[in-house]
Amino acid sequence: MILIADSGSTKTDWCMADGGRVVKRMATQGINPFHCGEDAILGVLTGELLPQMGDEEPQAVYFYGSGCRDEYVAAVGRLLAHVFPHTPKVEVESDLAGAARALFGRTAGIACILGTGSNSCLYDGAAVAANVPPLGYILGDEGSGAVLGRMFVNALYKGRLGASLRESFEGETGLRMPEIVRRTYREPQANRFLASLSPFIHRHIVDGGLRSLVTDNFRSFFRNNVKAYGRPELAVGVVGSIGYYYSAELSDAAEAEGVALGCVVRSPMDGLVRYHS
């Protein structure tokens, strides 16, 4: 029995698997060592995860998480080893490595994450070989939900989208420009707020202006990130809700930029179960 984790800042998906067969799926709070102290991480593991696992002792734990940079890997591994003292193997990797393994297994490719934020890497079939820095939603994060929300608000209130769409938006969400500005500039986690506008965009994607915004966002991602690897012969795979729900627009953008788009999935978990089986 093995235990696999796919962790973001708000939620961690856990899966117990045996020989490639999913035995149990679980969820806890997110574990991001960049934002969470060791006591908080230990509290999630002992207070939320262990009660869901029962008496099962995994033979290996594979943890993939956002914020798992080199300087945090050892700390997360030590906490997992403390919680699972009889588990002989504990491996901690970044969420980007998890996306790459889920998408490509042991073959080379360009792995991308398109969710609230965005990221990408050149994967050589064993490890992340190169990474174009995403730079966050202010300086980068092209293709992400946060940047899409920013583009949408800009176009909506600068008159590039129709008045009827603005009425629909304000009527459905209850948001007005002053509130949007306040929440973007004066409250924490503005990236999540901007990304939260995506469901409205998706519901109204038949609007030509909105569809162009989405496609332009993805084209910018391909131009500034994927093409920077200089490996046009490699397939490009995508993990994440934004890529998944806007897969038609993502495909159009890839074709326009001459990018060979391959697998697009919402979650890496099933691919990680296959990889570790």
Side-chain angles (χ1 to χ4, degrees):
M1 190 81 69
I2 65 173
L3 178 65
I4 303 172
D6 168 39
S7 185
S9 295
T10 59
K11 180 186 176 186
T12 303
D13 290 320
W14 301 83
C15 180
M16 296 174 64
D18 186 10
R21 178 178 61 89
V22 173
V23 175
K24 189 174 186 180
R25 296 182 187 269
M26 300 161 288
T28 67
Q29 292 183 60
I31 295 174
N32 184 327
F34 184 74
H35 299 295
C36 301
E38 293 191 9
D39 288 344
I41 294 173
L42 196 61
V44 172
L45 295 175
T46 58
E48 296 184 35
L49 176 63
L50 290 183
Q52 297 183 68
M53 291 186 62
D55 297 327
E56 292 289 348
E57 280 279 353
Q59 294 303 301
V61 177
Y62 302 99
F63 185 95
Y64 298 92
S66 59
C68 286
R69 305 170 183 175
D70 291 344
E71 62 266 35
Y72 297 116
V73 166
V76 175
R78 185 176 66 253
L79 292 171
L80 288 165
H82 174 77
V83 172
F84 300 105
H86 304 297
T87 297
K89 183 174 184 179
V90 174
E91 183 178 304
V92 179
E93 297 279 358
S94 68
D95 57 347
L96 199 53
R101 289 177 172 180
L103 289 164
F104 295 108
R106 290 170 174 81
T107 61
I110 297 174
C112 307
I113 298 174
L114 293 175
T116 297
S118 68
N119 208 346
S120 65
C121 72
L122 176 64
Y123 177 64
D124 64 10
V128 173
N131 169 236
V132 175
L135 297 180
Y137 73 103
I138 294 175
L139 299 176
D141 265 7
E142 302 91 347
S144 70
V147 170
L148 178 60
R150 189 187 72 201
M151 293 171 65
F152 167 69
V153 171
N154 184 283
L156 190 70
Y157 287 104
K158 293 197 175 188
R160 299 197 308 278
L161 297 172
S164 62
L165 189 66
R166 175 173 167 176
E167 291 175 5
S168 296
F169 170 74
E170 292 182 344
E172 290 181 32
T173 65
L175 293 168
R176 301 293 188 273
M177 184 172 62
E179 173 71 2
I180 293 170
V181 171
R182 185 187 66 80
R183 293 184 64 175
T184 301
Y185 288 100
R186 301 185 68 85
E187 289 194 3
Q189 299 180 331
N191 59 330
R192 292 188 191 177
F193 166 66
L194 291 170
S196 75
L197 307 180
S198 175
F200 174 86
I201 297 170
H202 190 264
R203 288 196 301 272
H204 296 267
I205 197 66
V206 293
D207 182 275
L210 285 184
R211 197 168 195 278
S212 292
L213 278 181
V214 174
T215 304
D216 289 347
N217 191 24
F218 289 143
R219 291 189 67 174
S220 180
F221 173 76
F222 289 134
R223 284 195 303 268
N224 292 299
N225 298 275
V226 171
K227 288 187 172 183
Y229 297 111
R231 298 292 300 274
E233 79 282 6
L234 291 179
V236 176
V238 174
V239 165
S241 58
I242 294 296
Y244 179 78
Y245 286 112
Y246 294 104
S247 58
E249 292 72 32
L250 183 68
S251 180
D252 288 348
E255 183 177 358
E257 294 295 330
V259 170
L261 184 64
C263 185
V264 179
V265 297
R266 183 180 181 185
S267 165
M269 187 59 78
D270 289 341
L272 288 172
V273 170
R274 288 193 299 271
Y275 179 87
H276 287 292
S277 67

